[in-house]
């Protein structure tokens, strides 16, 4: 049985999708060992508790520096000893203290088609720039913010969606579908990190193409 931990800061809808995917076999042979939040008030913590998942809160405000927070986060996660660390709406910039401790074992989901729109307010940017399409990126985490090797991307045509809230809802649908599938392949070692890029088992090569969602 593989172990994963999920790091959140907010509403935790991706975390719930991951837990559901474990329960219904989309992610196989895996246990969600702990949901960790840096925000004590994160809505996702209550959802995790409701689902009977172990939770832990590590507030970044209790630490003087980013590095001190990361050192403690590394210690907490090493204690759990997971096979994979999943960032699911975890809104902290991680230092090399964290990324080097778990090289190749951290996934992130980002709500844009990277390298377009790293950072925040991605939906607003896509709308403001009249982009034809928008989407999500799942990637391995390195020290470079939103810059590690890309694993998979899902996209949609923005069309008549004119406000960021509606766009975010459509984007969430893609995230909830694609993230569990990718997590399943990574825990099974069918998708592997290398500093040169992502390595795909032949059964996973379709994830190298941008996947279109007709939502
Ligand atoms: C997701 O859309 C995720 O892509 C984004 O935060 C949202 C969290 O939603 N992540 C980032 O912006 C990371 N830079 P959730 O808490 O409902 O899963």
């Amino acid at each position: 049985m593989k172990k994963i931990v999920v790091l959140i800061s907010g509403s935790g809808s991706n975390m719930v999708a991951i837990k559901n995917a474990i329960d219904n076999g989309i992610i196989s042979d895996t246990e969600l060992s702990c949901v960790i939040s840096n925000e004590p008030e994160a809505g996702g913590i209550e959802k995790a508790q409701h689902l009977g998942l172990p939770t832990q809160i590590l507030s970044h405000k209790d630490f003087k520096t980013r590095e001190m927070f990361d050192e403690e986060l590394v210690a907490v996660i090493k204690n759990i000893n997971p096979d994979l660390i999943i960032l699911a709406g975890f809104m902290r910039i991680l230092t090399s203290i964290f990324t080097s401790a778990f090289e190749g074992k951290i996934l992130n989901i980002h709500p844009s088609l990277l390298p377009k729109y790293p950072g925040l307010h991605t939906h607003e940017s896509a709308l403001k720039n009249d982009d034809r399409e928008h989407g999500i990126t799942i990637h391995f985490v390195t020290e470079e913010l939103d810059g590690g090797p890309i694993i998979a991307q899902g996209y949609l045509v923005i069309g008549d969606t004119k406000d960021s809230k509606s766009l975010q809802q459509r984007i969430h649908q893609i995230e909830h579908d694609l993230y569990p599938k990718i997590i399943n392949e990574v825990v099974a070692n069918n998708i592997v990190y290398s500093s040169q890029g992502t390595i795909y088992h032949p059964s996973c090569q379709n994830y190298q193409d941008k996947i279109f969602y007709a939502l």
Side-chain angles (χ1 to χ4, degrees):
M1 183 76 92
K2 296 286 177 76
K3 290 206 273 185
I4 61 172
V5 298
V6 178
L7 271 54
I8 64 167
S9 303
S11 74
S13 71
N14 278 284
M15 177 275 299
V16 173
I18 292 163
K19 165 68 174 143
N20 289 341
I22 290 172
D23 290 348
N24 64 30
I26 289 171
I27 302 174
S28 52
D29 207 21
T30 298
E31 154 194 299
L32 205 177
S33 303
C34 195
V35 176
I36 301 173
S37 174
N38 66 308
E39 291 284 357
E41 304 300 326
I45 283 294
E46 208 175 286
K47 286 183 188 147
Q49 285 163 351
H50 193 70
L51 290 165
L53 294 167
T55 59
Q56 205 157 325
I57 289 164
L58 194 65
S59 174
H60 58 277
K61 292 185 184 134
D62 293 342
F63 296 85
K64 278 212 183 91
T65 64
R66 199 173 280 285
E67 286 74 18
M68 285 159 98
F69 172 76
D70 279 8
E71 273 165 17
E72 184 58 23
L73 189 59
V74 167
V76 165
I77 293 176
K78 282 209 164 149
N79 201 30
I80 301 168
N81 194 25
D83 297 281
L84 194 62
I85 299 158
I86 313 287
L87 310 186
F90 187 66
M91 305 307 278
R92 290 287 300 169
I93 294 174
L94 293 161
T95 69
S96 62
I97 292 172
F98 189 87
T99 54
S100 63
F102 303 110
E103 194 185 0
K105 290 172 70 174
I106 316 166
L107 301 188
N108 184 41
I109 192 158
H110 182 77
S112 79
L113 294 167
L114 291 171
K116 218 171 185 182
Y117 310 137
L120 300 173
H121 311 304
T122 59
H123 312 308
E124 289 82 355
S125 300
L127 288 170
K128 200 171 92 201
N129 292 328
D130 269 329
D131 288 353
R132 185 182 169 274
E133 56 187 50
H134 186 39
I136 69 113
T137 302
I138 298 164
H139 64 96
F140 287 108
V141 173
T142 59
E143 197 185 340
E144 191 191 340
L145 178 67
D146 297 328
I150 288 174
I151 301 171
Q153 294 187 304
Y155 77 101
L156 48 69
V157 172
I158 293 177
D160 291 336
T161 308
K162 297 287 180 227
D163 66 289
S164 61
K165 198 102 211 115
S166 311
L167 191 53
Q168 184 191 42
Q169 280 169 6
R170 293 178 68 200
I171 286 293
H172 263 146
Q173 288 183 58
I174 301 178
E175 295 189 328
H176 298 166
D177 178 69
L178 197 50
Y179 212 7
K181 289 176 181 163
I182 295 300
I183 291 166
N184 183 53
E185 300 298 352
V186 177
V187 289
N189 288 324
N190 290 332
I191 296 178
V192 181
Y193 169 86
S194 112
S195 55
Q196 313 302 314
T198 300
I199 300 169
Y200 301 83
H201 183 270
S203 65
C204 294
Q205 270 161 6
N206 55 330
Y207 291 122
Q208 293 179 76
D209 301 325
K210 242 178 13 164
I211 300 167
F212 174 61
Y213 283 77
L215 295 167

